[in-house]
Amino acid sequence: MKHDFSTHHRMSVATDVVVLTTDNKPLSNNRKVAEKGLQLLLVKRDEEPYNGCWALPAGFVNYDEPLLECAKRKLREKVGLDDIYLEQLYSYGDDVNRDIRGRVISIGYIALAPKEKILLNSERAGKEAEWFWIESATSEWEPDRLSFIAVKDPSVRITSLAFDHRMIIADALNRIKNKIMYTDVGFHLVNELFTVKELQTVYELLLGREVQAFRRVLNDKIIETDQWTDGKAHRPARLFKQR
Amino acid sequence: MKHDFSTHHRMSVATDVVVLTTDNKPLSNNRKVAEKGLQLLLVKRDEEPYNGCWALPAGFVNYDEPLLECAKRKLREKVGLDDIYLEQLYSYGDDVNRDIRGRVISIGYIALAPKEKILLNSERAGKEAEWFWIESATSEWEPDRLSFIAVKDPSVRITSLAFDHRMIIADALNRIKNKIMYTDVGFHLVNELFTVKELQTVYELLLGREVQAFRRVLNDKIIETDQWTDGKAHRPARLFKQR
DNA sequence: TTTACTTAATTACAATATGTTATTAACTAT
DNA sequence: ATAGTTAATAACATATTGTAATTAAGTAAA
């Protein structure tokens, strides 16, 4: 049986982007030290299906549009983000009913950036986009155990998302976790100039454990600059950049 | 601008499978010791475009067919392979003209199996399918440098393949190479019972270098059985299985 | 049936890398 | 000044890895 390249095999293709960053958790009464946390960007859907549900920034790929370009466009349109690190995650299409409207293949992407870089751009747009806290996991992230806590209002804790987006998010987190020690992916979550402590915090949040002798491990991946943190209490920390 | 789930955004989706295995290279005059090599399965296309060209086993996904199911079906139909390890590799759709017939997104898969397991099944079918040698690379595999040498007739060396399949193959090889030390993926390239040397050879072919103290590294991933190789010259080797 | 040869498996030791704790440095707040 | 806090380095113990040497178990040939 030969394929005649007819149209009745054609289906919709979408890109879904998991945007991750880190930020300081608000100071509470019993904590004097600023604690970092992982954040995820979600948007509120304004059409069926899952109207009103929180979801990943996503949308359909145009017929003449590269996949990566579509992911970038969706971030621009829905969140006002531009010029952010993107890598392909996985393609979702084993459940043929994952979208009630018809057959949809989703190409998952991961976007990473330090919060400072994202804030600048996202001021412009991002009406229905919000940041949510993700609790650091000691072992692997599991879709069923993920919950998302609104950064603006910590009393808002959601567990249900549109489509299979919980699975995509868990996959994204586990992918980054598994890569971080063997690749340079962690640098995308800090500024161009960073302290050792800042980078270490990123690693520890993703791994869900402490990393010992971090400076020594990173020694051949970073270059020291002659700049230092200032304005903060206690001894200043040297700023580094990626080698 | 809202998406109306109309049909003019729809496109074709295909799965392309990179089937890898290892086998003994033929003994030549100046080599007394059996040398192992990496092998790749290619099929000869019998329709346009690239009619007559060697290509990866691939084909279009049916509207109601899971992606993984499609990859399995293509291996069955085109090569007669069944029940083989499959993992998703990457999705190709940044070049909108990668298929002259129209917009096609390809979901790449990697299939791994020891040659013995594949031989059994592929006897039944596989008319236009052939194995090709891949030279082990010391650093990373690059699409432009890949050439494929027919196992049946080493004088046949091809460099041009259909579509962007050279890129997909290079990606597959690099993916496995980068994973092999941190995952258990290497076990899929040996039989259920294997000697330490057999497994080590798989690692060294993929890494393009020697691996020292291999037994020690693998110590907590393997279990020794009370079976031994026989029929071969010299001291028998103990057979192990994956823990 | 020795002996040479080859591969398998283990052992021993050196070199390197990592885990852990202690020490020194540099700042702020009192 | 002094206490308190974070940064950075140093020092040492332990674990892991690289490398070579040794022993074991078979075949093939003298």
Side-chain angles (χ1 to χ4, degrees):
Chain A
M1 186 198 78
K2 287 194 180 181
H3 184 85
D4 55 353
F5 207 74
S6 54
T7 55
H8 59 265
H9 286 87
R10 295 191 186 180
M11 52 195 75
S12 297
V13 177
T15 57
D16 296 43
V17 190
V18 180
V19 187
L20 298 174
T21 190
T22 59
D23 204 352
N24 290 312
K25 287 192 172 178
L27 294 174
S28 63
N29 302 4
N30 46 354
R31 276 191 300 105
K32 286 197 172 181
V33 188
E35 195 186 344
K36 284 269 181 179
L38 274 179
Q39 281 184 8
L40 166 74
L41 189 63
L42 295 175
V43 298
K44 198 168 242 172
R45 285 182 60 82
D46 62 349
E47 60 179 329
E48 293 299 338
Y50 294 103
N51 197 355
C53 259
W54 290 101
L56 295 174
F60 290 103
V61 178
N62 292 324
Y63 192 82
D64 58 353
E65 183 181 43
L67 293 178
L68 181 62
E69 201 49 54
C70 176
K72 286 182 183 170
R73 177 171 61 83
K74 286 299 159 189
L75 287 184
R76 243 188 342 260
E77 289 175 4
K78 299 209 171 187
V79 200
L81 285 179
D82 216 333
D83 193 33
I84 187 174
Y85 171 77
L86 270 172
E87 71 169 57
Q88 195 183 295
L89 168 63
Y90 192 82
S91 293
Y92 299 85
D94 282 332
D95 179 1
V96 296
N97 299 120
R98 53 186 295 280
D99 192 318
I100 193 73
R101 293 168 292 184
R103 185 71 196 279
V104 178
I105 308 296
S106 271
I107 319 291
Y109 280 85
I110 299 173
L112 303 175
K115 197 56 173 290
E116 293 84 348
K117 188 176 175 185
I118 295 185
L119 272 175
L120 283 174
N121 297 320
S122 66
E123 299 283 10
R124 296 179 293 177
K127 294 282 166 286
E128 289 299 326
E130 273 189 34
W131 291 103
F132 289 81
W133 293 111
I134 292 177
E135 289 168 69
S136 193
T138 37
S139 59
E140 286 239 305
W141 276 279
E142 294 173 41
D144 293 343
R145 291 192 191 165
L146 281 178
S147 68
F148 310 97
I149 301 160
V151 169
K152 285 183 180 173
D153 181 2
S155 68
V156 178
R157 180 191 229 108
I158 56 171
T159 54
S160 86
L161 294 186
F163 306 106
D164 50 4
H165 287 186
R166 290 166 56 86
M167 177 168 67
I168 300 178
I169 293 164
D171 286 349
L173 291 166
N174 289 322
R175 169 74 62 88
I176 299 300
K177 172 180 178 171
N178 290 328
K179 284 181 72 168
I180 196 159
M181 291 302 276
Y182 310 119
T183 70
D184 295 342
V185 79
F187 290 100
H188 295 291
L189 285 167
V190 294
N191 292 316
E192 200 171 347
L193 295 182
F194 52 86
T195 67
V196 171
K197 180 72 177 175
E198 283 168 357
L199 192 58
Q200 182 170 0
T201 301
V202 166
Y203 277 59
E204 292 182 341
L205 283 172
L206 286 164
L207 292 170
R209 60 174 176 86
E210 291 188 347
V211 182
Q212 323 85 322
F214 187 71
R215 171 68 210 268
R216 195 164 49 189
V217 174
L218 264 284
N219 204 37
D220 52 349
K221 285 187 173 182
I222 61 181
I223 302 177
E224 64 176 36
T225 69
D226 52 0
Q227 292 184 268
W228 301 76
T229 57
D230 61 346
K232 310 203 171 177
H234 317 303
R235 176 176 172 176
R238 188 187 283 276
L239 292 170
F240 292 81
K241 58 181 180 180
Q242 190 179 2
R243 182 177 295 274
Chain B
M1 185 199 78
K2 286 193 180 181
H3 184 86
D4 54 354
F5 207 74
S6 55
T7 56
H8 58 267
H9 286 89
R10 296 192 186 178
M11 52 196 76
S12 298
V13 176
T15 57
D16 297 43
V17 190
V18 180
V19 186
L20 298 175
T21 190
T22 60
D23 204 351
N24 290 312
K25 287 190 172 179
L27 294 173
S28 64
N29 304 1
N30 47 354
R31 276 192 298 104
K32 287 198 172 180
V33 188
E35 195 186 345
K36 285 270 181 177
L38 274 177
Q39 281 184 7
L40 167 74
L41 189 63
L42 295 175
V43 298
K44 198 168 241 172
R45 285 182 60 83
D46 62 349
E47 60 179 330
E48 294 297 338
Y50 294 102
N51 196 353
C53 259
W54 290 101
L56 295 174
F60 290 102
V61 179
N62 292 326
Y63 192 83
D64 58 353
E65 182 181 44
L67 293 178
L68 181 62
E69 202 48 56
C70 176
K72 285 182 184 172
R73 177 171 60 84
K74 286 299 159 188
L75 287 183
R76 242 186 345 257
E77 289 176 2
K78 300 209 170 187
V79 200
L81 285 179
D82 216 333
D83 193 33
I84 187 174
Y85 172 76
L86 270 171
E87 71 168 58
Q88 195 183 294
L89 167 62
Y90 192 81
S91 294
Y92 299 86
D94 282 331
D95 178 1
V96 297
N97 300 120
R98 53 186 295 280
D99 192 318
I100 193 71
R101 293 168 292 185
R103 185 71 195 280
V104 178
I105 308 297
S106 270
I107 318 292
Y109 280 85
I110 298 173
L112 303 176
K115 196 56 172 291
E116 293 84 348
K117 188 175 175 185
I118 295 186
L119 272 175
L120 283 174
N121 296 322
S122 65
E123 299 282 10
R124 296 179 291 177
K127 294 285 167 284
E128 290 299 325
E130 273 190 34
W131 291 103
F132 289 81
W133 294 112
I134 293 177
E135 288 168 69
S136 192
T138 36
S139 59
E140 285 239 304
W141 276 280
E142 294 173 39
D144 294 343
R145 290 192 191 165
L146 281 177
S147 69
F148 310 97
I149 301 162
V151 169
K152 285 183 181 173
D153 181 2
S155 68
V156 178
R157 180 192 229 107
I158 55 172
T159 53
S160 86
L161 294 186
F163 306 106
D164 50 2
H165 288 186
R166 289 165 57 83
M167 176 167 69
I168 300 178
I169 293 164
D171 286 350
L173 291 166
N174 289 322
R175 168 74 62 88
I176 299 299
K177 172 181 178 171
N178 290 328
K179 283 181 73 168
I180 195 159
M181 291 302 277
Y182 310 118
T183 70
D184 295 341
V185 79
F187 291 100
H188 295 291
L189 285 167
V190 294
N191 292 316
E192 199 172 348
L193 295 182
F194 52 85
T195 67
V196 171
K197 180 73 177 176
E198 283 168 357
L199 193 58
Q200 182 170 0
T201 300
V202 166
Y203 277 59
E204 292 182 341
L205 283 173
L206 286 164
L207 292 170
R209 60 173 176 85
E210 290 187 346
V211 182
Q212 322 84 324
F214 187 70
R215 171 69 209 267
R216 195 162 51 190
V217 174
L218 265 285
N219 203 37
D220 52 349
K221 285 187 174 183
I222 61 181
I223 301 177
E224 63 177 36
T225 70
D226 52 1
Q227 292 185 267
W228 302 77
T229 56
D230 61 344
K232 309 201 171 178
H234 317 303
R235 176 175 172 176
R238 187 187 283 277
L239 292 171
F240 292 81
K241 59 181 180 179
Q242 190 180 2
R243 181 178 295 273

